[in-house]
Amino acid sequence: MPMPKRLPASRPLPGSLPAHNLYGTIRRRCKQVSLVPSLLALFVIHTVLSIVWIGTTTIEGHSPLASPWWVAFSRQRRVSSLTDGDDDDDDNVDDFAGDIYDLPPPAGTDAEPNAVLPNVLLIGGQKSGTTALAEWLFRAHGVCGPRRFLGEPEHFAKEVQFFDQWERFHTGTRFWATRFEHCVKRARGAVGRGVADSSGSKTPLVMDATPNYLPFAERVRATYDICDTSLADELRIMVILRNPVARELSLYNHKANLYRLRDMKQERYWRNVKTSKDGGLLSFAQFMNKTTLSRFEHKQCYKSDYSRMDCYGFYALHLLYWMKLFRHDQILILSYDELVQDPRTLIGRVKAFLGLNNGTGETLGTNDTIPVKNTQSHKGKVMLMPCGTRDQLEMAFNSPNRALYALLAKKKGPDMEQHPFPRFTEVGC
């Protein structure tokens, strides 16, 4: 019986190139042609492959193989689109929120089934009156705040700093929930006051007032969804917005004061206010050149690996996520200028939002005064920033602020919210 003939080995078609050797072959052929067309060919091929990778490797709205320049361009385009007069705001928000933040939510919850989680979050802004507002709610209306553990700074009785600190966030939900266990006992005296649940009954107010939560919307939503989706739908979120230029000066003074006190428990927070050579204190202008103005110059807040806290003053960047992940009427945007100039009106907004009027038509009571906080005149405090630095900051924040105004102009509710949101008061120098 004749042996079957062996099939000849397959060969590539004339002129075809194995995919894995594409770049190498092009480089060899480029030696035979001029340099400029070769570089252009390589750039075109790289661009096409990048687009293919971005389109075919998307996982839950995130493209892990997207090159940094593409992500930077996309983020800048989407933020800028809020100021271009486009009425299709839902598409803008959907597109932007497609770039999910860098860190994944916890895989599950280790909290007890009946654990108490806050139904009110005061998420910002830093140096914008959150301490004063929180202390008024704790004192005058019996809102339950977190329990401070032994050895923790005093401000942990107001803010847990759970979502913003990686090491605390990944200890699990139980770590956060245990801070509010004592609120169960206080709930008996608060019947009929607070946030209305899905059945229409009122539940007591439990609040975490951590201003650093503003850049971490997706961690908050994921945690509540894991525990109980209905909790996320009943959550009330408040944020006070201050002119980011003025906030920079207040932040500098706070860090400079901690530096002078040598508060080593918070050294990680204030260490960037020191000079790198001798450890002395930077002036405000030097501090801005080292931090905020440098980030604007290098467009760091438009890059894929940007630091959330370093880009805190890009309010629209963060609020886009909150407005995508929560209903608009769950988020109350407050003005720091109104807090300073007309606190009674702001108090009325907050009480209506949190259901603190008891259905009696009551608006303001004898205890409805917000204390003045963080206005101490410590040695070396900078009262006015240099005009040159002020002008640089005003110019840098012009585009982010316009994006914020455009975003809030399209926000739908709640009814007691200030609309349109007022322009920030100009900063003196």
Side-chain angles (χ1 to χ4, degrees):
M1 182 176 180
M3 297 293 293
K5 294 182 179 180
R6 298 181 61 183
L7 296 176
S10 62
R11 297 179 181 178
L13 295 174
S16 65
L17 297 173
H20 68 275
N21 200 29
L22 181 60
Y23 280 107
T25 304
I26 290 177
R27 283 198 298 270
R28 287 195 300 272
R29 293 184 178 180
C30 281
K31 295 179 180 180
Q32 304 172 10
V33 296
S34 63
L35 181 61
V36 174
S38 302
L39 292 176
L40 288 174
L42 286 172
F43 175 76
V44 170
I45 292 173
H46 172 75
T47 303
V48 171
L49 291 178
S50 297
I51 294 173
V52 172
W53 287 334
I54 291 169
T56 58
T57 60
T58 300
I59 301 176
E60 296 181 354
H62 179 57
S63 300
L65 295 182
S67 55
W69 62 265
W70 175 270
V71 176
F73 169 77
S74 300
R75 179 169 286 115
Q76 186 169 10
R77 176 177 57 81
R78 288 164 184 172
V79 173
S80 300
S81 68
L82 291 172
T83 63
D84 63 5
D86 185 3
D87 293 331
D88 195 5
D89 59 308
D90 291 334
D91 288 342
N92 289 338
V93 174
D94 287 342
D95 288 345
F96 192 93
D99 291 335
I100 299 301
Y101 275 136
D102 53 342
L103 301 177
T109 177
D110 57 353
E112 299 296 331
N114 296 322
V116 177
L117 296 181
N119 51 16
V120 179
L121 295 180
L122 180 53
I123 62 172
Q126 280 184 339
K127 314 307 298 176
S128 300
T130 57
T131 299
L133 182 61
E135 290 192 1
W136 162 65
L137 288 170
F138 293 149
R139 169 183 53 82
H141 294 284
V143 174
C144 189
R147 179 164 58 99
R148 179 168 65 98
F149 286 4
L150 185 65
E152 291 182 335
E154 290 185 5
H155 60 265
F156 275 48
K158 159 189 168 254
E159 54 191 82
V160 182
Q161 298 187 7
F162 175 65
F163 295 104
D164 59 301
Q165 294 193 20
W166 173 263
E167 64 276 9
R168 293 166 78 83
F169 180 59
H170 278 271
T171 55
T173 313
R174 176 179 294 179
F175 171 84
W176 192 41
T178 54
R179 305 296 176 123
F180 302 96
E181 288 178 341
H182 63 288
C183 296
V184 177
K185 298 178 182 179
R186 294 178 56 179
R188 298 167 184 167
V191 177
R193 299 175 68 86
V195 178
D197 59 22
S198 56
S199 65
S201 60
K202 296 291 186 69
T203 56
L205 296 174
V206 179
M207 181 172 72
D208 183 350
T210 302
N212 289 354
Y213 287 171
L214 179 59
F216 298 94
E218 96 294 352
R219 295 186 190 178
V220 173
R221 181 74 209 200
T223 299
Y224 277 87
D225 281 344
I226 290 170
C227 295
D228 186 348
T229 303
S230 64
L231 295 176
D233 294 335
E234 296 164 8
L235 185 64
R236 294 293 182 268
I237 301 154
M238 297 186 293
V239 56
I240 309 174
L241 298 182
R242 181 182 188 180
N243 189 329
V245 176
R247 197 190 68 83
E248 293 287 352
L249 180 59
S250 182
L251 184 65
Y252 168 80
N253 279 323
H254 183 53
K255 290 190 174 190
N257 189 45
L258 294 175
Y259 163 84
R260 296 186 186 98
L261 297 174
R262 295 297 193 272
D263 186 343
M264 300 313 296
K265 288 184 178 180
Q266 301 186 65
E267 194 268 343
R268 187 176 66 173
Y269 172 70
W270 56 258
R271 62 188 176 191
N272 65 343
V273 83
K274 300 186 299 181
T275 61
S276 57
K277 292 183 178 179
D278 57 4
L281 179 65
L282 294 168
S283 68
F284 175 70
Q286 291 172 328
F287 181 62
M288 288 295 96
N289 287 329
K290 175 184 176 182
T291 57
T292 303
L293 292 175
S294 175
R295 294 173 197 130
F296 274 106
E297 180 182 357
H298 296 96
K299 299 184 181 297
Q300 291 181 4
C301 294
Y302 294 117
K303 296 181 179 179
S304 59
D305 58 348
Y306 77 101
S307 167
R308 305 189 196 191
M309 295 307 299
D310 286 347
C311 300
Y312 191 96
F314 278 58
Y315 298 143
L317 181 70
H318 311 305
L319 287 174
L320 275 168
Y321 283 85
W322 290 96
M323 291 170 61
K324 173 65 178 178
L325 298 174
F326 296 90
R327 299 190 318 274
H328 288 195
D329 64 353
Q330 290 182 262
I331 307 168
L332 177 65
I333 309 294
L334 299 166
S335 166
Y336 174 82
D337 293 330
E338 185 177 66
L339 173 64
V340 174
Q341 299 167 9
D342 188 8
R344 293 174 64 84
T345 298
L346 183 136
I347 286 173
R349 297 185 199 280
V350 173
K351 292 185 68 174
F353 182 65
L354 298 181
L356 292 173
N357 292 334
N358 253 349
T360 62
E362 168 198 3
T363 55
L364 298 179
T366 56
N367 292 327
D368 288 328
T369 56
I370 296 180
V372 178
K373 302 295 293 184
N374 297 332
T375 58
Q376 64 274 17
S377 297
H378 52 78
K379 182 180 178 181
K381 182 176 181 179
V382 179
M383 303 304 295
L384 291 173
M385 65 179 69
C387 290
T389 303
R390 189 277 309 270
D391 293 343
Q392 287 179 287
L393 289 171
E394 290 281 5
M395 184 179 298
F397 279 110
N398 179 57
S399 180
N401 285 348
R402 287 191 300 112
L404 172 69
Y405 302 143
L407 175 67
L408 296 186
K410 299 172 182 178
K411 187 172 180 288
K412 302 175 178 65
D415 293 339
M416 73 289 301
E417 190 171 73
Q418 204 169 1
H419 193 84
F421 186 81
R423 299 299 194 259
F424 293 125
T425 301
E426 185 176 344
V427 178
C429 63

